[in-house]
Amino acid sequence: MAETIIKVDLSKSAYENDMIHNRWHPDIPMVSMVKPGDDFKIECVDWTGGQIKNDDSADDVRDVDLTKVHFLSGPVGVEGAEPGDLLVVDILDIGTFDESQWGFNGFFSKQNGGGFLTEHFPEAQKSIWDFNGMFTKSRHVPNVEFAGLIHPGLIGCLPSREMLDEWNTREKGLYDTEPDRIPALATLPHADTAHMGRMKGDAAKDAAAEGARTVPPREHGGNCDIKDLSRGAKVYFPVYVKDAGLSVGDLHFSQGDGEITFCGAIEMAGWIHLRVNLIKGGMKKYGIKNPIFKPSPIAPKYEDYLIFEGISVDEGGKQHYLDVHIAYRQACLNAIEYMTKFGYTRAQAYTILGVAPVQGHISGVVDIPNACATLWLPTDIFDFDMQPNAEGPTKMVDGTVDVPLSPDL
């Protein structure tokens, strides 16, 4: 049986656990050392460190302190790993805690984080999802149940000093182009809430002042939110520091492509079972600067989809040039509008797109001026027929429940 090398206590603050950190920095000490070929288990708190509760109020989502996230378990050192190698990580298994059979999804207030559709959903809302084996459903979103594909939203290796400096320089440069923007263009270092693992004293304070926030994906992996990194997936991570420094967290029970709700997917605490190996000099051998992966052979089996198109024309009718971001936003908005015809509120429909196993595709990027993006909505997750027909839609959701909303104070 694989050893659990990092354990968490959900009743305690993540700041009390020195095998957890919430910033990227090359000097964060390894909390455990493993060898190539070893397999092991790691426990993880949810990405907010327990800030979100299983209740019917969105106040905690509205008031969440986003400078604290994400809480990651690690870093785990791999003997013999050197800069330029590839760290091969097999995800052998992943699961929930027996004592925590629930997760949450939310929309952040535009004033505190925002999200992909924040102009349409500017205030905080939250839904709770209960787990029943591999399936999940929510008291806040009726008539929907689906199989989850549990995966880590965030996994990667420590950056080098040069890489950390590059991240901070380029992200500060972007931030400075519009420093008063809400939400901000980038999340800059924030020392006050940094948790630097086993770093102590002045070294920890200095590192906290420059430690990179964990919000975006970067060259080392990080917060990529790829739902296909589940059981059986294999990831090849570039190694930038001695011993690699693998960290993981932000576990999701299920997620739609794009994690468009941002407090997205169905967020959860849980555990992951990994195996590691090395390809010496693999970055140069294969020309790799960002991770590559083989997806999980396991996926929820949904074969019937309604596919919604979007193009590079925004909500105001303005034409953009091959803008995939806008095209995918339009596909999402089109799907939301469609679901409201069956009785869902717009918030419930948006939630479904964030948590269910929807697929997002870049379908065309050459036919100027419009890119085409598509959103694939699996119809089998609903307990009624979602297909268009000559009689028109039937209202199947009675409107007695909605996703809880907490207005800004």
Side-chain angles (χ1 to χ4, degrees):
M1 181 177 294
E3 179 186 2
T4 300
I5 62 173
I6 298 177
K7 296 183 178 182
V8 302
D9 184 341
L10 300 183
S11 69
K12 295 182 178 179
S13 168
Y15 287 99
E16 298 179 43
N17 191 330
D18 68 359
M19 302 181 87
I20 289 175
H21 62 101
N22 67 356
R23 300 291 189 269
W24 293 114
H25 194 283
D27 297 334
I28 296 175
M30 308 297 164
V31 300
S32 183
M33 292 296 298
V34 298
K35 297 178 181 179
D38 285 353
D39 69 288
F40 49 88
K41 291 183 177 180
I42 293 174
E43 295 181 350
C44 302
V45 299
D46 83 80
W47 74 297
T48 73
Q51 294 186 65
I52 310 302
K53 306 304 180 186
N54 185 353
D55 59 25
D56 299 318
S57 169
D59 289 359
D60 48 10
V61 172
R62 179 194 63 201
D63 302 332
V64 68
D65 187 345
L66 293 176
T67 69
K68 294 180 177 179
V69 300
H70 302 73
F71 288 100
L72 307 178
S73 295
V76 174
V78 181
E79 292 183 13
E82 299 173 303
D85 295 343
L86 289 177
L87 179 66
V88 185
V89 178
D90 289 287
I91 300 177
L92 302 178
D93 203 358
I94 187 169
T96 61
F97 290 131
D98 290 342
E99 69 273 22
S100 185
Q101 292 292 308
W102 67 279
F104 61 89
N105 173 264
F107 320 156
F108 289 132
S109 163
K110 182 180 178 181
Q111 304 301 316
N112 185 27
F116 187 60
L117 299 180
T118 194
E119 300 302 327
H120 298 268
F121 300 91
E123 295 183 303
Q125 297 190 245
K126 180 178 78 176
S127 59
I128 299 298
W129 295 79
D130 295 309
F131 308 150
N132 181 20
M134 66 184 293
F135 292 93
T136 186
K137 58 184 177 180
S138 171
R139 60 184 180 267
H140 299 127
V141 185
N143 300 85
V144 172
E145 185 176 20
F146 50 85
L149 185 63
I150 306 178
H151 60 278
L154 201 161
I155 184 169
C157 297
L158 293 180
S160 65
R161 159 55 61 181
E162 294 76 19
M163 178 164 284
L164 176 64
D165 292 343
E166 179 183 343
W167 292 350
N168 284 336
T169 297
R170 74 189 185 198
E171 290 173 24
K172 180 63 160 58
L174 175 63
Y175 178 92
D176 287 344
T177 63
E178 198 176 344
D180 297 325
R181 184 181 186 274
I182 297 175
L185 286 172
T187 51
L188 303 181
H190 186 87
D192 291 349
T193 53
H195 180 30
M196 306 306 292
R198 291 182 172 173
M199 296 189 78
K200 304 295 183 185
D202 290 341
K205 291 180 181 179
D206 292 344
E210 61 184 5
R213 301 283 295 281
T214 59
V215 175
R218 299 185 180 94
E219 291 88 340
H220 69 146
N223 194 26
C224 295
D225 295 311
I226 301 170
K227 74 177 192 297
D228 302 291
L229 297 185
S230 189
R231 298 175 180 92
K234 185 189 294 284
V235 193
Y236 301 84
F237 287 105
V239 174
Y240 294 102
V241 300
K242 182 180 181 298
D243 299 329
L246 178 69
S247 296
V248 62
D250 186 26
L251 302 188
H252 299 162
F253 188 86
S254 178
Q255 177 202 296
D257 280 341
E259 199 192 17
I260 61 172
T261 47
F262 184 33
C263 181
I266 299 175
E267 308 286 350
M268 56 171 265
W271 55 269
I272 186 167
H273 183 186
L274 303 174
R275 180 174 59 224
V276 295
N277 278 290
L278 289 174
I279 298 177
K280 300 300 294 180
M283 290 179 66
K284 184 176 180 180
K285 288 177 181 177
Y286 291 102
I288 290 175
K289 67 174 184 178
N290 295 80
I292 63 174
F293 73 97
K294 292 175 63 66
S296 170
I298 299 172
K301 188 177 181 181
Y302 296 110
E303 298 178 348
D304 189 77
Y305 292 87
L306 279 177
I307 301 174
F308 297 85
E309 293 187 17
I311 58 173
S312 307
V313 178
D314 66 24
E315 295 90 314
K318 181 180 177 180
Q319 179 73 62
H320 297 259
Y321 181 76
L322 297 181
D323 192 318
V324 174
H325 178 276
I326 288 174
Y328 193 52
R329 189 169 77 217
Q330 298 311 306
C332 293
L333 290 170
N334 290 340
I336 289 170
E337 180 67 17
Y338 185 90
M339 283 187 276
T340 65
K341 303 305 181 183
F342 296 86
Y344 286 112
T345 67
R346 295 181 74 250
Q348 288 171 331
Y350 185 26
T351 299
I352 290 169
L353 298 187
V355 303
V358 305
Q359 297 181 24
H361 295 258
I362 300 173
S363 300
V365 290
V366 297
D367 298 314
I368 61 172
N370 283 327
C372 178
T374 52
L375 182 139
W376 297 41
L377 178 67
T379 58
D380 292 340
I381 70 174
F382 301 95
D383 65 6
F384 57 88
D385 186 4
M386 289 282 289
Q387 304 289 344
N389 60 65
E391 287 73 33
T394 300
K395 186 175 179 180
M396 302 299 297
V397 182
D398 62 17
T400 56
V401 298
D402 197 1
V403 178
L405 180 147
S406 290
D408 293 326
L409 296 175

